[in-house]
Amino acid sequence: VWIWATRVSGLPSEGEVISVGEGARTEAGELIPMAVKAGDRILIGKYSGSEVKIDGTEYLIMREEDVLGVLEA
């Protein structure tokens, strides 16, 4: 999940989902689709994901299970 996020020290952050992958796979190889989609506004925990900077813009890459909740879809 690619996220554009605003960090607030010590508090959960809010972000917008920019891009998602196809989902996870079960041991049997069946696809489990993502619950979040591009454009969703989500809550992110303080220490969730990995921050990256691309062309001067900061993004957060994280696993779907680290999303605390969807604010608006």
Side-chain angles (χ1 to χ4, degrees):
V1 179
W2 282 84
I3 310 288
W4 176 82
T6 304
R7 289 257 186 218
V8 177
S9 181
L11 299 172
S13 302
E14 182 179 326
E16 179 182 351
V17 177
I18 302 299
S19 179
V20 298
E22 64 179 11
R25 297 257 177 205
T26 66
E27 289 184 21
E30 295 176 20
L31 182 64
I32 302 169
M34 301 287 285
V36 297
K37 62 187 179 309
D40 285 353
R41 304 266 333 145
I42 61 171
L43 275 180
I44 304 159
K46 181 178 179 182
Y47 299 108
S48 298
S50 300
E51 294 179 359
V52 296
K53 190 177 231 182
I54 301 173
D55 295 329
T57 303
E58 292 184 13
Y59 296 95
L60 185 65
I61 300 174
M62 60 187 298
R63 299 174 63 88
E64 183 180 42
E65 56 262 17
D66 293 333
V67 173
L68 298 177
V70 177
L71 298 173
E72 74 185 56

